[in-house]
Amino acid sequence: MPCPSCSDPAAGRVVAVRGAVLDVTFGTAALPAIETALRIEWDRPAPLIAEVQSHLDATTVRAIAMQDTAGLARGVAVRATGEPITVPVGDAVLGRLLDVMGTVRDRGMALPEGTPRWPIHRSAPPLAAQTASRTVFETGIKVLDLLCPLARGGKAAMFGGAGVGKTVLVMELIHAMVQRYQGISVFAGVGERSREGHELLTDMRESGVLARTVLMFGQMNEPPGARWRVGLSALTVAEYFRDARHQDVLLLMDNVFRFVQAGSEVSGLLGRLPSRVGYQPTLATEVAALQERIASVAGAAITAIEAVYVPADDFTDPAVTAISAHLDSSLVLSRGMAAEGMYPAIDPLASSSILLDPTVVGAAHYAIAERVREAIARYRELQDVIALLGVEELGAEDRRIVARARRLQRFLTQPFQVTEAFTGHAGRSVKLADTLAGCRAILDGEADGWAESSLFLIGDLAEARSSEQARAGT
């Protein structure tokens, strides 16, 4: 069967459909380039968009569909666009919820005619044009600001298994950042549940920050191609504000592991042999293509905060190690701390940040952070002894360290604004100076006689002091 129009080099037809994978034949020797878009005009209101992934032979390409292919038949006409998938950018997308193709999904008005569109496949800024940032983002979350400071223009990720609080922490950081930070925010929901997307949209509308935010979702029930590319779509919007408008951008991604997972699905559908632990052989390349575009240039920066699911709590998983290689700050969420109700369940010993350096945060901050880590590390070393023999069998110095470490752990818990409706505790935001003062006072023994409960789920130390005074008065 000949192609629809052999005289048109951009015209082709579908010859095979296997779920999200399409084979398309063209009647010319010049096949569409890899990572360019195909437009399929079928019997639905909107065209189906697919992305070329490989050349099977001299006349046939294999592509991944970005939308559901149910009802697509062989023989349907296809047109090669000659360019990558593009998404709308600029002021028109602020306050809107979009899908991987940039289509409006918030039931609002269509985007204005003439809204600029940028391709989702773009190169990272040249190394010579990138600038290193030593500016710290103050979040108001005690354990982050103290032990894992976030960098303006850097990349931070929260690693944890299921149910330890990654999404809650991302949402709290959104609340914290938009109050302190006057730039643009872009949220990429990669494989998100519909409920999570609806809650985020509602929260942002109620808090009044939606006007400076762009939401892009590739939902869990969408084809793997949409989940695989939505991160690049969101990053393209962020790059527009950085490069064309010279504005700082906060990029939030939840969940990057689902980006890797979608890439693995695509790789399997394309017939590639799996690599380690069943992941795609292109894992490192795909992660690098996403992460290396998150960079600061002169006058503007993209700051990324990402959530990363850790399968079976295995931090040696290839996907986790591939992602962690690109980060400035790694926040490890502990299942043990979550089980004890220590929220946020950030492990103070396993988490790290390149900004926790005396030349960046100052000698006083660094010294307090090191003392906190030393106390908690010594407490963990002694936990087996305490479990077997009891704390009374420790020496006087070790008992003192254990008591202060337990109080430090409780002081570093904090009620969140996004969980206020569930916990009944009003959310707290704590200045870095108050966090440092509180930790210093606990380390110096000011709280040795206080009940541990006075330090649990509070803001600054003044709140604990008031609680202790009230308890002593009764």
Side-chain angles (χ1 to χ4, degrees), residues 12-15 22-26 38 40 59-63 78:
R13 61 181 176 84
V14 176
V15 293
L22 313 176
D23 289 350
V24 180
T25 187
F26 290 85
L38 304 178
I40 303 168
T59 60
T60 310
V61 301
R62 181 160 288 168
V78 178

Side-chain angles (χ1 to χ4, degrees), residues 148-160:
C148 308
L150 306 184
R152 174 185 173 273
K155 295 184 280 283
M158 288 154 287
F159 296 91

Side-chain angles (χ1 to χ4, degrees), residues 419-443:
T419 60
E420 187 173 329
F422 308 104
T423 64
H425 292 281
R428 305 286 196 281
S429 178
V430 183
K431 294 179 180 178
L432 175 60
D434 293 334
T435 299
L436 295 175
C439 290
R440 184 190 296 111
I442 294 169
L443 288 164

Side-chain angles (χ1 to χ4, degrees), residues 49-66:
I49 304 298
E51 184 180 85
V52 177
Q53 293 299 315
S54 62
H55 294 170
L56 298 182
D57 55 40
T59 60
T60 310
V61 301
R62 181 160 288 168
I64 288 289
M66 296 294 121

Side-chain angles (χ1 to χ4, degrees), residues 172-394:
E172 182 67 16
L173 280 167
I174 292 172
H175 275 263
M177 292 296 195
V178 295
Q179 291 174 0
R180 298 164 177 264
Y181 168 84
Q182 297 302 313
I184 301 298
S185 298
V186 179
F187 180 87
V190 185
E192 285 286 271
R193 302 169 184 87
S194 299
R195 170 186 58 79
E196 293 170 335
H198 184 266
E199 287 177 359
L200 182 65
L201 180 62
T202 303
D203 287 347
M204 287 196 162
R205 277 178 176 155
E206 291 175 351
S207 59
V209 302
L210 188 60
R212 299 199 313 274
T213 305
V214 184
L215 304 176
M216 303 197 79
F217 281 87
Q219 291 179 193
M220 189 176 281
N221 63 333
E222 293 190 63
R227 290 179 271 121
W228 190 38
R229 291 309 192 201
V230 70
L232 298 182
S233 298
L235 184 53
T236 300
V237 174
E239 287 174 327
Y240 173 85
F241 287 105
R242 181 196 65 190
D243 298 338
R245 297 294 181 84
H246 307 292
Q247 291 178 281
D248 285 350
V249 183
L250 178 63
L251 176 66
L252 301 124
M253 301 184 71
D254 187 7
N255 186 305
V256 181
F257 176 78
R258 294 196 188 109
F259 159 76
V260 173
Q261 203 171 36
S264 181
E265 290 180 53
V266 168
S267 182
L269 290 169
L270 294 174
R272 296 175 185 151
L273 289 175
S275 184
R276 293 175 54 207
V277 200
Y279 286 110
Q280 61 270 43
T282 53
L283 171 64
T285 305
E286 290 174 10
V287 171
L290 177 72
Q291 299 288 349
E292 291 305 303
R293 285 170 59 181
I294 302 170
S296 299
V297 296
I302 297 176
T303 303
I305 298 174
E306 308 165 8
V308 183
Y309 168 69
V310 179
D313 290 345
D314 179 11
F315 286 87
T316 64
D317 185 88
V320 176
T321 55
I323 295 166
S324 61
H326 296 272
L327 303 174
D328 302 310
S329 303
S330 297
L331 317 176
V332 177
L333 278 75
S334 162
R335 188 168 300 280
M337 292 180 65
E340 294 175 9
M342 299 287 186
Y343 289 106
I346 296 171
D347 189 325
L349 303 184
S351 303
S352 62
S353 170
I354 62 170
L355 267 71
L356 189 60
D357 184 284
T359 61
V360 178
V361 298
H365 180 161
Y366 181 77
I368 292 171
E370 285 298 290
R371 289 179 65 192
V372 168
R373 278 194 168 142
E374 286 171 8
I376 294 174
R378 181 59 179 162
Y379 171 47
R380 291 191 180 176
E381 289 173 5
L382 296 169
Q383 278 183 319
D384 287 343
V385 176
I386 295 169
L388 289 171
L389 304 176
V391 71
E392 296 81 8
E393 296 300 317
L394 300 177

